[in-house]
């Protein structure tokens, strides 16, 4: 069997939970103050989809979200993308389309998914369900609500991107 390796970039404003999501998915841990490991660009996890072994390489933008020149290098060769925003950060929701364009400018059209993280903080939500669903519909992207903290729906996001990729 040929091994399939997929590079996935996780993008979005600072503090939406990107690094935590990658840690959660690849290492199975959640910490309140995740400190980025210097020198590590990505973490990986192997899964099986339709009897195929998939190696997912999840690239983090290393907290340098505002520096275009640095993050562009991270996008190169990506075959999947998570566009992440936070339930409790309005700006991060409004930035989703900009993130989509940034990635597409570098790598063209790849499989993407919109993720609303921190769903455990739903009582303090600043984004209405209907708005998020409308955005996903407009951009024609699958939409997931996750809690990295409580490990809700994180596996599903990456499984979906893997399935999309091997269907091509
Ligand atoms: P990044 O800047 O997008 O990489 O965000 P981080 O992964 O560094 O997370 C920012 C903060 O949000 C950290 O304190 C995390 O512990 C916290 N966080 C991440 N995911 C969740 C979640 O699902 N729920 C809650 N309540 N906090 C989260
Ligand atoms: Mg980070």
């Amino acid at each position: 069997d040929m091994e399939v390796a997929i590079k996935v970039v996780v993008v979005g404003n600072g503090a939406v939970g990107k690094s935590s999501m990658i840690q959660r998915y690849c290492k199975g841990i959640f910490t309140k103050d995740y400190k980025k490991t210097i020198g590590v660009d990505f973490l990986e996890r192997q899964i099986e989809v339709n009897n195929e072994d998939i190696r997912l390489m999840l690239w983090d933008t290393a907290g340098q979200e505002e520096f275009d020149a640095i993050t562009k290098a991270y996008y190169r060769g990506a075959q999947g993308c998570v566009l992440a925003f936070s339930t409790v950060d309005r700006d991060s929701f409004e930035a989703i389309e900009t993130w989509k364009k940034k990635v597409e400018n570098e790598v063209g059209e790849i499989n993407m998914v919109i993720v609303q993280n921190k769903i455990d903080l739903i009582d303090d939500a600043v984004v209405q369900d209907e708005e998020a669903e409308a955005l996903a519909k407009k951009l024609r992207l699958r939409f997931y609500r996750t809690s990295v903290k409580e490990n809700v729906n994180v596996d599903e996001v990456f499984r979906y991107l893997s399935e999309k990729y091997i269907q091509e």
Side-chain angles (χ1 to χ4, degrees):
D1 256 22
M2 240 179 56
E3 194 202 46
V4 180
I6 313 174
K7 174 176 176 175
V8 174
V9 289
V10 181
V11 304
N13 284 10
V16 301
K18 302 180 299 295
S19 300
S20 302
M21 183 177 296
I22 293 169
Q23 289 270 314
R24 162 66 82 192
Y25 188 67
C26 297
K27 292 185 173 172
I29 55 167
F30 176 78
T31 51
K32 248 192 124 200
D33 342 79
Y34 164 70
K35 300 273 185 299
K36 117 185 141 80
T37 316
I38 310 289
V40 176
D41 297 322
F42 66 91
L43 290 177
E44 55 180 58
R45 176 168 165 180
Q46 237 153 322
I47 61 167
E48 204 185 284
V49 177
N50 304 342
N51 289 321
E52 284 203 67
D53 287 323
I54 312 281
R55 189 156 63 95
L56 280 162
M57 294 169 289
L58 305 190
W59 287 66
D60 196 354
T61 40
Q64 317 245 346
E65 289 86 354
E66 63 273 38
F67 301 114
D68 268 12
I70 297 167
T71 52
K72 274 180 180 177
Y74 281 92
Y75 303 154
R76 213 157 290 146
Q79 292 129 326
C81 174
V82 173
L83 302 165
F85 70 96
S86 160
T87 300
V88 292
D89 179 349
R90 183 79 204 173
D91 286 348
S92 73
F93 172 67
E94 282 165 7
I96 287 292
E97 280 198 71
T98 306
W99 283 109
K100 181 173 182 281
K101 284 178 198 143
K102 271 191 202 181
V103 174
E104 282 175 352
N105 281 344
E106 290 307 307
V107 297
E109 286 204 12
I110 56 173
N111 294 321
M112 293 190 178
V113 58
I114 300 179
V115 171
Q116 173 176 355
N117 187 38
K118 308 197 187 184
I119 204 70
D120 54 288
L121 302 177
I122 196 73
D123 288 346
D124 301 314
V126 293
V127 180
Q128 301 305 308
D129 288 356
E130 303 75 42
E131 295 178 283
E133 280 153 21
L135 178 67
K137 199 171 176 187
K138 177 184 159 197
L139 300 179
R140 299 218 235 113
L141 296 176
R142 179 75 71 94
F143 172 50
Y144 287 94
R145 293 193 178 90
T146 65
S147 169
V148 169
K149 184 179 181 187
E150 293 176 357
N151 202 16
V152 174
N153 258 345
V154 177
D155 287 8
E156 284 76 359
V157 169
F158 296 106
R159 175 161 291 273
Y160 168 72
L161 284 175
S162 304
E163 284 171 356
K164 279 285 267 187
Y165 181 78
I166 61 173
Q167 273 167 19
E168 284 169 356

